[in-house]
Amino acid sequence: MAKQRVLSGVQPTGNLHLGNYLGAIRNWVKGQHQYDNFFCVVDLHAITVPHNPATLSADTHAIAALYLACGIDLDCSTIFVQSHVSAHSELTWLLNCITPLNWLTDMIQFKEKAVKQGENVGVGLLDYPVLMAADILLYDADKVPVGEDQKQHIELTRDIVDRLNHQYGKPNQPILKSPAPLISTDGARIMSLTDGTRKMSKSDPSDLSRINLLDPPDVIRNKIKKCKTDPVRGLVFGDPERPECNNLLTLYMLMSGKSKQDVAAECQDMGWGQFKPLLTETTIAHLQPIQDKYKQIMDEPGYLESVLHDGRQKASEIANQTLRRVKVALGYSLPT
Ligand code: TRP
């Protein structure tokens, strides 16, 4: 039987942090061998809020290199850049025309991000989920590994599929395939180092709030030294009064690869003065091989370009076939 297909992506806005890695890429790596995978760098999504043209291209390459450095295996996975495959933009337009406006104005993430943009909300921000639907649907993806916060976008994608199939498909002959979200349960939600109630985020103005995958050891040491804790001795998981404690223990669990029970037992009598150096050294040791591999990839002239070139070819072939299928269903004349 053919393997099921997986598609996912990350935006190239600045550096990847531990939240992106533990909530997304690490899970892609763990599951990749049972699937046929497509991982894209979603650079078209990156301009839905104001962006910096001077860094977009370098950021895009950095994310692709980090996919490889984190262990994405080209034997079972294809890595490509969203804007390199023009079918993404084209299918977005076709899907736009069958998507009711109120489906988009109701999306939680749109409302949250729109508030932050004030008067300056672009149409692209509203359309973000339709572009994401196009990303997924072009590859007939069965599964989409994402964080909990992206679940609503997958549901919207399924609604768009139903509507398109219903309006333009024949019974038992769907035009597009409905994807399912793949949400990992273990520690998918990593919180800020400066506020354990908020998600670790690229948009937090303070760099002390996150650990970036490429932070050098002394930066990691400083961030963990300064991170928020509480005055209680003895460290426990799951106390709602101690969100920072839960977050830091979770980080330690994921960085060390130990089980929750083992970490709970190991840390139950510790104070922060003993725990922080332990978390620091474990994190540095976990990130070292990723950083070494990243450097090696970036130092090899032409390597990343060739990976993205091959990825583009493989992705385009599949995406163009799907686009064609949709165009035919909508009644378009195709160029000969
Ligand atoms: N919206 C996703 C996020 O912020 C990124 C994304 C864009 C994506 N297109 C996708 C994720 C397609 C999965 C599949 O995390």
Side-chain angles (χ1 to χ4, degrees):
M1 222 176 74
K3 284 182 179 173
Q4 285 202 321
R5 191 168 284 156
V6 151
L7 179 131
S8 199
V10 165
Q11 287 192 48
T13 34
N15 218 322
L16 281 186
H17 53 69
L18 275 184
N20 305 124
Y21 169 65
L22 294 171
I25 299 170
R26 189 186 60 123
N27 299 318
W28 305 353
V29 170
K30 274 202 293 191
Q32 65 182 330
H33 291 107
Q34 22 166 344
Y35 299 111
D36 172 26
N37 312 275
F38 286 78
F39 298 120
C40 55
V41 184
V42 290
D43 56 346
L44 296 170
H45 280 104
I47 68 165
T48 56
V49 294
H51 82 288
N52 182 359
T55 55
L56 181 61
S57 165
D59 285 348
T60 301
H61 282 88
I63 300 288
L66 277 171
Y67 286 179
L68 291 164
C70 290
I72 295 296
D73 178 354
L74 294 171
D75 282 341
C76 57
S77 305
T78 302
I79 296 176
F80 69 101
V81 176
Q82 184 190 35
S83 70
H84 291 178
V85 180
S86 59
H88 290 248
S89 301
E90 216 178 322
L91 182 62
T92 300
W93 175 254
L94 302 178
L95 299 181
N96 274 338
C97 296
I98 64 147
T99 304
L101 180 61
N102 69 314
W103 288 8
L104 300 180
T105 51
D106 283 349
M107 299 299 286
I108 294 165
Q109 196 169 74
F110 169 69
K111 289 194 254 185
E112 284 173 1
K113 288 194 185 177
V115 170
K116 286 193 203 145
Q117 299 303 317
E119 294 284 290
N120 213 350
V121 179
V123 174
L125 190 64
L126 180 69
D127 207 26
Y128 180 114
V130 181
L131 177 59
M132 179 163 162
D135 298 341
I136 297 165
L137 298 174
L138 281 171
Y139 301 90
D140 290 320
D142 299 283
K143 299 257 163 69
V144 186
V146 282
E148 190 71 36
D149 63 321
Q150 295 297 310
K151 218 167 148 183
Q152 198 185 30
H153 288 155
I154 313 294
E155 279 155 17
L156 180 94
T157 303
R158 295 165 61 88
D159 289 342
I160 292 175
V161 170
D162 288 347
R163 199 169 161 95
L164 182 87
N165 286 342
H166 178 74
Q167 286 188 0
Y168 299 103
K170 300 196 183 79
N172 302 323
Q173 246 182 289
I175 307 158
L176 291 173
K177 185 183 228 174
S178 229
L182 192 65
I183 295 185
S184 141
T185 43
D186 63 333
R189 218 169 134 78
I190 299 301
M191 312 308 276
S192 159
L193 293 185
T194 47
D195 178 352
T197 64
R198 292 176 39 186
K199 223 176 115 167
M200 188 176 282
S201 161
K202 294 185 213 188
S203 54
D204 192 314
S206 169
D207 198 50
L208 287 177
S209 71
R210 59 187 161 259
I211 293 173
N212 302 307
L213 288 189
L214 298 177
D215 280 345
D218 50 329
V219 172
I220 296 175
R221 274 190 198 103
N222 184 44
K223 285 177 175 176
I224 294 179
K225 201 158 107 199
K226 297 226 167 92
C227 78
K228 189 172 172 199
T229 56
D230 56 30
V232 187
R233 207 189 155 78
L235 308 180
V236 292
F237 283 105
D239 182 342
E241 305 282 295
R242 306 181 66 192
E244 285 80 21
C245 180
N246 186 64
N247 187 45
L248 296 171
L249 277 188
T250 303
L251 263 184
Y252 176 58
M253 172 181 84
L254 296 169
M255 289 290 105
S256 65
K258 292 180 183 169
S259 73
K260 195 167 176 174
Q261 288 89 325
D262 286 353
V263 169
E266 183 184 354
C267 303
Q268 60 184 347
D269 299 322
M270 278 187 194
W272 292 110
Q274 194 184 355
F275 176 76
K276 278 189 171 189
L278 180 65
L279 175 62
T280 302
E281 296 317 313
T282 309
T283 304
I284 291 170
H286 188 105
L287 294 185
Q288 195 65 58
I290 295 176
Q291 298 186 350
D292 291 347
K293 183 117 185 268
Y294 177 83
K295 191 167 179 308
Q296 194 191 337
I297 290 163
M298 289 312 230
D299 284 348
E300 191 176 329
Y303 173 67
L304 191 61
E305 285 72 16
S306 85
V307 169
L308 295 178
H309 173 89
D310 294 352
R312 175 191 180 197
Q313 276 191 325
K314 235 185 117 187
S316 299
E317 214 170 286
I318 296 169
N320 289 336
Q321 280 178 24
T322 311
L323 180 64
R324 193 185 166 90
R325 213 162 70 221
V326 176
K327 282 182 144 180
V328 167
L330 293 182
Y332 278 94
S333 82
L334 297 174
T336 44

Coordinates of all heavy atoms in Angstrom, one line a residue, residues 177-207:
K177 N -9.1 16.1 -1.9 CA -9.1 15.2 -0.8 C -9.1 16.0 0.6 O -8.4 16.9 0.7 CB -7.9 14.3 -0.8 CG -7.8 13.3 0.2 CD -6.4 12.6 0.0 CE -6.6 11.1 0.0 NZ -5.3 10.4 -0.3
S178 N -9.9 15.5 1.5 CA -10.0 16.1 2.8 C -8.9 15.7 3.7 O -8.7 14.5 3.9 CB -11.4 15.7 3.5 OG -12.0 16.9 3.9
P179 N -8.1 16.7 4.3 CA -7.0 16.3 5.1 C -7.4 16.2 6.6 O -8.5 16.8 7.0 CB -6.1 17.5 5.0 CG -7.0 18.7 4.8 CD -8.2 18.1 4.0
A180 N -6.7 15.5 7.4 CA -6.9 15.4 8.8 C -5.7 16.1 9.6 O -4.6 15.9 9.2 CB -7.1 14.0 9.3
P181 N -6.0 16.8 10.7 CA -4.9 17.3 11.4 C -4.2 16.2 12.2 O -4.8 15.2 12.5 CB -5.6 18.3 12.4 CG -7.0 17.8 12.6 CD -7.3 17.1 11.3
L182 N -2.9 16.4 12.4 CA -2.1 15.4 13.2 C -1.5 16.2 14.3 O -0.6 16.9 14.1 CB -1.0 14.8 12.3 CG -0.3 13.6 12.7 CD1 -1.2 12.4 12.9 CD2 0.8 13.3 11.7
I183 N -2.1 16.1 15.5 CA -1.7 16.9 16.6 C -1.0 16.1 17.7 O -1.6 15.2 18.2 CB -2.9 17.7 17.2 CG1 -3.4 18.6 16.0 CG2 -2.5 18.5 18.4 CD1 -4.5 19.5 16.4
S184 N 0.2 16.5 17.9 CA 1.0 15.7 18.9 C 0.6 16.1 20.3 O 0.3 17.3 20.6 CB 2.5 15.9 18.6 OG 3.2 16.0 19.8
T185 N 0.6 15.1 21.2 CA 0.1 15.4 22.5 C 1.2 15.7 23.5 O 1.0 16.4 24.5 CB -0.7 14.2 23.1 OG1 0.1 13.0 22.7 CG2 -2.0 14.1 22.4
D186 N 2.4 15.3 23.2 CA 3.5 15.5 24.2 C 4.2 16.8 24.1 O 5.0 17.1 23.2 CB 4.5 14.3 24.2 CG 5.3 14.3 22.9 OD1 4.7 14.7 21.9 OD2 6.4 13.8 22.9
G187 N 3.8 17.7 25.0 CA 4.5 19.0 25.2 C 4.5 19.8 24.0 O 5.5 20.5 23.7
A188 N 3.4 19.8 23.2 CA 3.4 20.6 21.9 C 3.4 22.1 22.2 O 3.7 22.8 21.3 CB 2.1 20.2 21.1
R189 N 3.0 22.5 23.4 CA 2.8 23.9 23.7 C 3.9 24.4 24.6 O 3.9 24.2 25.8 CB 1.5 24.1 24.3 CG 0.8 25.4 23.8 CD -0.6 25.3 24.3 NE -1.0 26.6 24.9 CZ -1.3 27.7 24.2 NH1 -1.3 27.6 22.9 NH2 -1.6 28.9 24.7
I190 N 4.9 25.0 24.1 CA 6.0 25.6 24.9 C 5.8 27.0 25.2 O 5.4 27.8 24.3 CB 7.4 25.4 24.1 CG1 7.6 23.9 23.9 CG2 8.5 26.0 24.9 CD1 7.7 23.0 25.2
M191 N 5.9 27.4 26.4 CA 5.5 28.8 26.8 C 6.8 29.7 26.9 O 7.9 29.2 26.9 CB 4.8 28.7 28.2 CG 3.7 27.7 28.3 SD 2.5 27.7 26.9 CE 1.4 29.0 27.5
S192 N 6.5 31.0 27.0 CA 7.5 32.0 27.1 C 8.4 31.8 28.3 O 7.9 31.4 29.4 CB 6.9 33.4 27.1 OG 7.7 34.3 27.6
L193 N 9.7 32.1 28.2 CA 10.5 32.0 29.4 C 10.3 33.2 30.4 O 10.7 33.1 31.6 CB 12.0 32.1 29.0 CG 12.6 30.9 28.2 CD1 14.1 31.1 28.0 CD2 12.3 29.6 28.9
T194 N 9.6 34.2 29.9 CA 9.4 35.4 30.8 C 7.9 35.4 31.3 O 7.6 36.3 32.2 CB 9.7 36.7 30.1 OG1 9.2 36.7 28.8 CG2 11.2 36.8 29.9
D195 N 7.1 34.6 30.8 CA 5.7 34.5 31.2 C 5.1 33.2 30.9 O 4.8 32.9 29.7 CB 4.9 35.7 30.5 CG 3.4 35.6 30.9 OD1 3.0 34.7 31.6 OD2 2.7 36.6 30.6
G196 N 5.0 32.3 31.9 CA 4.6 30.9 31.6 C 3.1 30.8 31.2 O 2.7 29.6 30.9
T197 N 2.4 31.8 31.1 CA 1.0 31.7 30.6 C 0.9 32.1 29.1 O -0.2 32.0 28.6 CB 0.1 32.7 31.4 OG1 0.5 34.0 31.2 CG2 0.2 32.4 32.9
R198 N 2.0 32.6 28.5 CA 1.9 32.9 27.1 C 2.8 32.0 26.3 O 3.9 31.6 26.7 CB 2.3 34.4 26.9 CG 1.3 35.3 27.5 CD 1.7 36.8 27.5 NE 2.3 37.1 26.2 CZ 2.9 38.3 26.0 NH1 2.9 39.2 26.9 NH2 3.4 38.5 24.8
K199 N 2.4 31.8 25.0 CA 3.1 30.9 24.1 C 4.5 31.5 23.8 O 4.6 32.7 23.6 CB 2.3 30.7 22.8 CG 2.3 29.3 22.3 CD 1.4 29.2 21.1 CE 2.2 28.8 19.9 NZ 1.4 28.4 18.8
M200 N 5.5 30.7 23.7 CA 6.8 31.1 23.2 C 6.6 31.6 21.7 O 6.0 30.9 20.9 CB 7.8 30.0 23.2 CG 9.2 30.5 22.9 SD 10.5 29.2 23.0 CE 10.8 29.1 24.8
S201 N 7.0 32.8 21.4 CA 6.6 33.4 20.1 C 7.7 34.2 19.5 O 8.5 34.9 20.2 CB 5.4 34.3 20.3 OG 5.2 35.2 19.3
K202 N 7.7 34.2 18.1 CA 8.7 35.0 17.4 C 8.4 36.4 17.5 O 9.2 37.3 17.3 CB 8.7 34.6 15.9 CG 9.1 33.3 15.6 CD 9.1 33.1 14.1 CE 8.8 31.7 13.7 NZ 8.9 31.3 12.3
S203 N 7.1 36.8 17.8 CA 6.7 38.2 17.7 C 6.9 38.8 19.1 O 6.7 40.0 19.2 CB 5.3 38.3 17.2 OG 4.4 37.5 18.0
D204 N 7.2 38.1 20.2 CA 7.5 38.7 21.4 C 8.7 39.6 21.3 O 9.8 39.2 20.8 CB 7.8 37.7 22.5 CG 7.8 38.2 23.9 OD1 8.4 39.3 24.1 OD2 7.2 37.6 24.8
P205 N 8.6 40.9 21.7 CA 9.7 41.9 21.5 C 10.9 41.5 22.2 O 12.0 41.8 21.8 CB 9.1 43.2 22.0 CG 7.8 42.9 22.6 CD 7.3 41.6 22.2
S206 N 10.8 40.7 23.3 CA 12.0 40.4 24.1 C 12.5 39.0 23.7 O 11.9 38.0 23.8 CB 11.6 40.3 25.6 OG 12.7 39.7 26.3
D207 N 13.8 39.0 23.3 CA 14.5 37.8 22.9 C 14.7 36.9 24.1 O 14.9 35.7 23.9 CB 15.8 38.1 22.1 CG 16.3 36.9 21.3 OD1 15.5 36.4 20.5 OD2 17.5 36.5 21.4

